[in-house]
Amino acid sequence: MPLEQHKQVGKDRSLPVLVVCCLLSLVAITVWVREGDGGVLHKIRSGASVLTAPLQTAGSFIAAPLRGMGSSFDNMSLSTDDISAMRAENERLRSDNIRLQEYELENEKLSALLDISDAYHLQSVGARVISQGTDSWDRSITINKGTNDGLHAGLPVISANGLIGQIEASGPTSSVVRLIADERSGLAVFIQSTRAEGILEGSPDGTLYLRYIAMNVDVSPGETLITSGAGGVYPKGIPVGTVLSVDFKPSDVYKTIVVQQLSRAQSFEEVLVITGSEGSAQ
């Protein structure tokens, strides 16, 4: 049979097949629409989906590296200047985020300082710690406010947790604060629960001791110490520390009491200098 006649016969045979396939498709669509989710065709489709799911998963797994390569090729199309600009923008956004976090932390600290100032009706000046004593025996800090801001020697200094020390010397733009843990420091305090009064003193190693508490006074670890206001230097009622341990011998006149300071120099950056008091805190 010539080639042309063979092609014509093939076309004549394929036409009825095409017509039959179209009719079957129309019938299948009609049945699909009318039979509902519980019909035979729906069940066949669901079964086929279950059987082909592993193949689809495998195909997706195989295609993932290719998609990654596509992204890499897209990146390769970027110029060196574009990539440098994107990196610079990323670094800027990261820096902004760190700066915003720092502002948030600073705002929390300043709010805490204002809260304690309001709670004790204090007139105060805010300051920032700019340096700390470099020697183990020099328990002091330097703040960024001085005589230009109305500060002078003798003024008490507090953190958000409580009393930390007293200004020892002031210059025009800075002041040195002697911390209460220094061996040259001493202040009158109450045991808050019993109102027993003693003297809080520092020591060469920085340990705080509560002195002159008689043997007949009950003192337990965890009790809070506050300023008594005696002498007029420190406002009454400012938290100072808590009792860490109590020791004594039968022959002692006073108990040996170690105190845990509420605020340590390493834990604060902003402070308040108390310049006056509108009232007393109990």
Side-chain angles (χ1 to χ4, degrees):
M1 181 182 294
L3 180 60
E4 290 78 7
Q5 294 179 357
H6 181 76
K7 290 181 179 180
Q8 184 63 37
V9 171
K11 292 180 179 178
D12 294 340
R13 291 178 179 177
S14 62
L15 182 59
V17 174
L18 179 61
V19 172
V20 171
C21 290
C22 290
L23 291 174
L24 290 175
S25 298
L26 291 173
V27 172
I29 292 171
T30 303
V31 173
W32 174 273
V33 172
R34 292 184 177 181
E35 68 175 1
D37 294 338
V40 176
L41 294 179
H42 282 77
K43 291 181 179 179
I44 293 174
R45 181 179 179 276
S46 299
S49 298
V50 172
L51 292 174
T52 58
L55 297 177
Q56 293 175 352
T57 302
S60 177
F61 178 78
I62 294 172
L66 299 178
R67 289 195 295 268
M69 291 177 62
S71 299
S72 298
F73 285 125
D74 290 340
N75 290 336
M76 290 175 62
S77 65
L78 296 174
S79 67
T80 302
D81 291 340
D82 290 337
I83 294 175
S84 298
M86 291 173 65
R87 288 176 176 171
E89 178 67 10
N90 184 54
E91 291 298 325
R92 185 188 68 77
L93 292 173
R94 184 181 302 174
S95 177
D96 288 346
N97 184 52
I98 294 174
R99 186 161 54 251
L100 288 173
Q101 291 178 353
E102 185 64 22
Y103 287 156
E104 183 177 358
L105 290 173
E106 184 175 352
N107 182 63
E108 291 176 357
K109 294 174 183 177
L110 292 175
S111 296
L113 284 171
L114 292 176
D115 287 344
I116 194 172
S117 179
D118 291 341
Y120 294 100
H121 309 286
L122 303 175
Q123 298 172 348
S124 58
V125 173
R128 180 181 294 274
V129 177
I130 56 177
S131 68
Q132 299 185 14
T134 56
D135 299 319
S136 59
W137 52 268
D138 182 18
R139 303 191 184 280
S140 66
I141 58 173
T142 301
I143 59 176
N144 67 339
K145 296 291 178 66
T147 55
N148 290 347
D149 304 284
L151 304 187
H152 56 81
L155 293 178
V157 181
I158 63 174
S159 74
N161 294 326
L163 186 70
I164 62 172
Q166 184 181 30
I167 290 182
E168 184 178 55
S170 286
T173 60
S174 64
S175 299
V176 176
V177 179
R178 183 63 52 192
L179 303 177
I180 60 175
D182 187 88
E183 63 177 325
R184 291 167 286 180
S185 294
L187 62 145
V189 296
F190 279 142
I191 298 175
Q192 190 175 38
S193 60
T194 63
R195 315 307 284 183
E197 187 174 6
I199 300 297
L200 188 69
E201 295 181 348
S203 63
D205 64 0
T207 302
L208 280 172
Y209 292 97
L210 177 57
R211 308 290 191 187
Y212 311 116
I213 299 298
M215 297 292 291
N216 63 345
V217 176
D218 292 331
V219 185
S220 300
E223 294 196 69
T224 301
L225 304 183
I226 60 175
T227 54
S228 69
V233 176
Y234 299 99
K236 184 179 179 181
I238 304 297
V240 178
T242 57
V243 174
L244 186 62
S245 65
V246 181
D247 192 20
F248 58 88
K249 299 176 183 177
S251 58
D252 290 342
V253 177
Y254 301 109
K255 293 182 176 180
T256 301
I257 301 174
V258 178
V259 175
Q260 175 69 54
Q261 186 177 346
L262 292 179
S263 295
R264 294 186 176 275
Q266 296 81 2
S267 65
F268 51 80
E269 298 173 354
E270 291 83 18
V271 297
L272 286 180
V273 180
I274 301 173
T275 57
S277 177
E278 299 172 0
S280 298
Q282 299 296 327

